[in-house]
């Protein structure tokens, strides 16, 4: 930690204790002289996998990324589904889990520019989100980049343990679990069949930054594997009760075609309305899919089979 970073962290604490405008201005002025850390993921390609293996075999050695490789910042979602660009003053502020592919060192103004990239769809930035959690909405970030007078920030709200739990559960259901399934393929699907609740619980648990924040255990999950046909193995995962008013999963369905190892990931998830339930999913590239309103529970598997059949027919 260098001198500028130490001074920034001191001003963070001063601003948290007294959110006077002059304290915010002093903090922003100092942040412009500070380099921050931004966790990111790399695209899951054979070339990148080879580089990751080299890094693993040669820790500490600098390795050049392929030209055109664009790391994707690890964006956070709050309970309302709003996205924020996280950046950290030091490595100690970053959760140990989940593991990130790379940690990018970025000057503050570069962080601001990336946070405003329309492709990320963020509502602002979050500084040290799991400790200090200082939020900078887009209006403030834009003013910082233009060197304009900063808008009044009425209150900095720190995430409650419950809000962190929701965010990390969303990470497990819409990022970590599908990523692991698509990355490890049929081998992990069969592991789900064999180890069931234990395997699912492990993925969820690893999504939380601190073990004491994790509210579940194996008994909160139910996993059932069904051999529908020679071309369809289906694993149904019943998730813990989705009580929070946020996009969470009631159930997850993972399908595998043993003939060609094709995998699909479907979700029965909460909608915005009180009793709204939607059928969604995540594809191999991490994109969220929306299939509209979910059917009644007894008809979910048939709807999923119909979707797979229709999409296979469209591809043939």
């Amino acid at each position: 930690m260098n001198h500028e970073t130490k001074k920034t962290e001191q001003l963070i604490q001063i601003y948290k204790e007294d959110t006077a405008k002059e304290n915010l201005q002093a903090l922003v002025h100092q942040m412009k002289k500070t380099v921050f850390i931004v966790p990111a993921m790399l695209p899951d390609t054979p070339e990148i996998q080879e580089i990751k293996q080299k890094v693993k075999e040669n820790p500490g050695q600098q390795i050049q990324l392929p030209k055109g490789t664009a790391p994707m910042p690890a964006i956070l979602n709050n309970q309302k589904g709003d996205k924020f660009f996280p950046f950290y003053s030091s490595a100690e502020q970053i959760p140990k889990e989940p593991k990130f592919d790379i940690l990018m060192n970025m000057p503050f103004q570069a962080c601001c520019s990336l946070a405003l990239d329309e492709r990320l769809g963020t509502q602002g930035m979050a500084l040290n989100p799991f400790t200090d959690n200082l939020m900078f909405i887009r209006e403030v970030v834009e003013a910082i980049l233009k060197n304009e007078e900063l808008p009044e920030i009425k209150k900095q709200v720190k995430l409650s343990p419950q809000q962190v739990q929701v965010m990390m559960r969303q990470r497990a259901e819409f990022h970590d679990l599908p990523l692991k399934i698509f990355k490890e393929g049929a081998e992990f699907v069969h592991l789900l069949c064999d180890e069931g609740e234990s395997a699912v619980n492990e993925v969820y648990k690893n999504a939380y930054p601190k073990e004491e924040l994790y509210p579940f255990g194996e008994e909160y999950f139910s996993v059932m594997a069904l051999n529908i046909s020679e071309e369809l193995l289906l694993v149904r995962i019943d998730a813990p009760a989705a009580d929070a008013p946020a996009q969470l999963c009631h159930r997850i369905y993972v399908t595998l075609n043993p003939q060609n190892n094709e995998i699909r990931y479907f979700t029965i998830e909460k909608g915005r309305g009180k009793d709204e339930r939607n059928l969604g999913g995540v594809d191999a590239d991490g994109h969220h899919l929306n299939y509209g309103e979910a059917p009644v529970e007894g008809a979910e598997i048939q709807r999923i089979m119909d979707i797979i059949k229709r999409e296979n027919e469209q591809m043939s």
Side-chain angles (χ1 to χ4, degrees), residues 147-162:
N147 288 317
E148 296 177 348
E149 184 176 353
L150 297 177
E152 191 71 32
I153 301 179
K154 295 181 180 180
K155 188 179 180 182
Q156 293 293 340
V157 181
K158 185 171 182 176
L159 291 178
S160 68
Q162 292 75 24

Side-chain angles (χ1 to χ4, degrees), residues 274-290:
K274 182 179 178 182
D275 299 316
E276 185 180 344
R277 294 165 64 258
N278 295 323
L279 174 57
V282 178
D283 66 15
D285 295 321
H287 300 135
H288 183 260
L289 306 172
N290 185 358

Side-chain angles (χ1 to χ4, degrees), residues 24-292:
L24 174 61
Q25 291 172 332
L27 173 59
V28 170
H29 178 75
Q30 175 59 30
M31 290 169 71
K32 289 181 178 180
K33 299 186 284 184
T34 306
V35 174
F36 292 89
I37 302 175
V38 178
M41 303 300 289
L42 294 170
D44 191 18
T45 64
E47 194 173 15
I48 293 297
Q49 288 299 326
E50 185 178 341
I51 288 175
K52 288 181 181 179
Q53 186 60 36
K54 288 182 181 178
V55 171
K56 188 175 181 180
E57 295 170 355
N58 304 280
Q61 181 178 330
Q62 190 172 17
I63 295 178
Q64 188 72 31
L65 290 175
K67 187 176 181 181
T69 300
M72 178 58 66
I75 301 302
L76 295 177
N77 297 278
N78 67 9
Q79 270 187 289
K80 297 179 181 179
D82 297 328
K83 297 180 179 180
F84 286 89
F85 177 94
F87 64 119
Y88 301 84
S89 57
S90 63
E92 289 74 23
Q93 300 283 352
I94 304 173
K96 293 181 180 179
E97 295 290 346
K99 301 294 185 185
F100 299 102
D101 289 337
I102 59 172
L103 300 177
M104 301 187 292
N105 293 313
M106 297 181 63
F108 177 59
Q109 287 176 287
C111 292
C112 292
S113 297
L114 186 54
L116 293 177
D117 190 318
E118 294 295 337
R119 293 171 294 182
L120 297 182
T122 65
Q123 278 68 50
M125 305 170 68
L127 173 58
N128 298 337
F130 299 103
T131 52
D132 303 308
N133 193 43
L134 293 187
M135 310 296 288
F136 299 87
I137 61 174
R138 289 185 70 90
E139 183 183 8
V140 174
V141 179
E142 290 168 351
I144 290 172
L145 281 179
K146 295 177 183 177
N147 288 317
E148 296 177 348
E149 184 176 353
L150 297 177
E152 191 71 32
I153 301 179
K154 295 181 180 180
K155 188 179 180 182
Q156 293 293 340
V157 181
K158 185 171 182 176
L159 291 178
S160 68
Q162 292 75 24
Q163 289 173 316
V164 173
Q165 287 172 1
V166 168
M167 288 171 55
M168 295 302 99
R169 177 170 170 175
Q170 289 175 326
R171 175 184 288 275
E173 293 173 345
F174 295 101
H175 180 269
D176 290 9
L177 183 56
L179 178 66
K180 190 173 184 67
I181 287 170
F182 285 115
K183 184 177 180 180
E184 299 186 16
E187 181 180 352
F188 185 72
V189 176
H190 289 299
L191 181 70
L192 284 176
C193 298
D194 296 336
E195 298 189 6
E197 294 79 8
S198 174
V200 174
N201 180 62
E202 190 66 23
V203 175
Y204 271 68
K205 185 177 179 180
N206 287 338
Y208 286 67
K210 298 180 181 178
E211 188 173 348
E212 58 267 27
L213 290 175
Y214 185 59
F216 308 124
E218 293 180 24
E219 67 276 12
Y220 284 81
F221 301 91
S222 176
V223 179
M224 179 174 61
L226 299 170
N227 282 298
I228 305 294
S229 69
E230 291 183 355
E231 296 183 348
L232 182 59
L233 168 63
L234 182 143
V235 182
R236 167 177 163 153
I237 302 170
D238 285 275
D243 298 324
Q247 183 188 20
L248 298 171
C249 292
H250 298 289
R251 268 174 302 288
I252 296 166
Y253 291 95
V254 180
T255 68
L256 168 68
N257 183 339
Q259 305 292 327
N260 58 14
N261 286 335
E262 182 181 65
I263 291 174
R264 307 284 179 98
Y265 186 92
F266 295 92
T267 55
I268 304 297
E269 57 195 56
K270 294 185 68 171
R272 293 186 178 274
K274 182 179 178 182
D275 299 316
E276 185 180 344
R277 294 165 64 258
N278 295 323
L279 174 57
V282 178
D283 66 15
D285 295 321
H287 300 135
H288 183 260
L289 306 172
N290 185 358
Y291 297 104

Side-chain angles (χ1 to χ4, degrees), residues 301-316:
I301 292 178
Q302 185 59 54
R303 173 73 70 83
I304 287 170
M305 292 170 61
D306 292 342
I307 291 172
I308 293 174
K309 181 181 178 181
R310 182 178 69 248
E311 291 183 352
N312 285 340
E313 289 174 348
Q314 292 173 348
M315 292 175 63
S316 61

